[in-house]
Amino acid sequence: MITVLIADDHPVVAEGLRNLLEDEPDITVVACVTQARDAVPAAVRTRPDVVLMDYRMGELNGIEAAYMIRERLPQTRVLILSMESEIHFIVRALRAGASGYVAKKSAAKEVIRAIREVYAGRRYLQDDVREEVLDSLMDDRPGSGDPLSLLSSRERQVLQLLAEGSTNADIAARLSLSPKTVETYRARMMDKLDVRDLAGLLRFAIRHGIAPLD
C-alpha cells in the first residue's frame, strides 16, 4: 500500500485529489493539509511514502517544504503538483529534492502514474518538459545556475514572507526569531543578490516565483 500526504491550499482540489487516490486499491491518503507549513510536521507524524505537494502555497512554498521534508525523511518522495510549467520552476523543485513534477491540468491517470513511479524510486517528468528539464539540469555554464541557490532555506522563507507583505515583526513572530535577526537575514539577502533595498528584494521575488499570484 502506497501512503500519500496531500498538501494543497485549495480545499476543493485537495478533496478531489483525496477522492481520486482513495479509489485506487494500492493507495491510501494518510493526511491532507492546506498549508505548506503544516505539511512538514504532518509528514514527520505520518511518514508517508509520497507527498503530493502544490507549488504555490502561502508562507512556505511547496519547494521549501519539499526541501525540509527530504531533510527529515530521506525515504519520503515528494511530487510537485502545480499550475506552473516554466522550466526553472521545475528544475528548482528537483534541486530541492522533489522526485517529480505533474501539471495540475494533467489527467487523473497521469497523477496516479506519477505517484507510483516516484514510490518505485524513479523520477517522474511529463513528456512535454522532460528534455528541457534535463538540458537545464546538465547545463553547467557560468551564470546558468538558479540565483535562489545563493540563499539559505531560512533566507528563502523570510523572502517569501516579505513578498507576501509581512513586516519584520510579523516574520519574527511566525518564524520564532527576533526582529533583529530578520533584519540580518534581509541584509544578507540584499548582499548576496546585489540589490540595494526592500523594493529590489520584492522585484527579485516576483521575478523568481516567490511572491504569490493572488
Side-chain angles (χ1 to χ4, degrees):
M1 185 67 70
I2 305 171
T3 56
V4 177
L5 183 153
I6 297 170
D8 194 298
D9 64 352
H10 294 89
V12 173
V13 174
E15 187 60 27
L17 288 168
R18 179 195 286 272
N19 293 336
L20 168 69
L21 299 183
E22 290 192 335
D23 281 342
E24 298 300 310
D26 60 335
I27 298 175
T28 185
V29 177
V30 295
C32 191
V33 299
T34 57
Q35 292 293 330
R37 68 174 184 270
D38 297 329
V40 180
V44 171
R45 184 178 68 253
T46 60
R47 305 183 75 84
D49 297 312
V50 178
V51 175
L52 188 58
M53 176 81 69
D54 185 15
Y55 171 75
R56 290 281 193 185
M57 301 181 78
E59 295 190 11
L60 178 69
N61 66 52
I63 290 179
E64 294 306 313
Y67 177 81
M68 293 179 180
I69 289 169
R70 290 288 291 160
E71 263 194 330
R72 292 161 175 77
L73 301 169
Q75 301 305 312
T76 294
R77 308 296 180 182
V78 179
L79 182 63
I80 297 293
L81 182 69
S82 180
M83 294 294 292
E84 305 291 346
S85 59
E86 288 90 344
I87 298 303
H88 65 278
F89 286 119
I90 303 172
V91 170
R92 189 178 304 153
L94 296 177
R95 285 178 172 155
S99 294
Y101 161 90
V102 181
K104 277 193 171 181
K105 64 183 179 181
S106 302
K109 63 181 181 181
E110 183 152 22
V111 175
I112 293 167
R113 177 186 169 195
I115 289 172
R116 290 176 176 145
E117 286 288 304
V118 300
Y119 171 72
R122 295 183 284 270
R123 292 193 181 275
Y124 187 85
L125 293 170
Q126 293 173 282
D127 291 339
D128 59 344
V129 300
R130 183 179 293 113
E131 289 303 318
E132 285 185 82
V133 169
L134 292 176
D135 286 346
S136 182
L137 285 169
M138 294 174 67
D139 188 354
D140 59 359
R141 291 172 299 175
S144 64
D146 183 353
L148 280 174
S149 65
L150 298 172
L151 305 182
S152 69
S153 178
R154 181 65 88 184
E155 287 167 347
R156 292 193 297 268
Q157 275 186 278
V158 170
L159 180 59
Q160 169 120 12
L161 289 168
L162 287 171
E164 292 176 359
S166 298
T167 65
N168 282 3
D170 292 335
I171 297 170
R174 291 186 186 185
L175 301 182
S176 300
L177 302 170
S178 71
K180 184 176 180 180
T181 299
V182 174
E183 185 59 43
T184 298
Y185 281 125
R186 280 179 53 169
R188 287 179 183 170
M189 286 190 286
M190 287 191 289
D191 184 56
K192 289 180 179 180
L193 301 174
D194 194 26
V195 298
R196 297 180 180 277
D197 51 24
L198 177 59
L201 276 179
L202 296 181
R203 285 193 295 272
F204 175 89
I206 293 169
R207 197 161 58 244
H208 290 84
I210 296 295
L213 292 175
D214 48 12

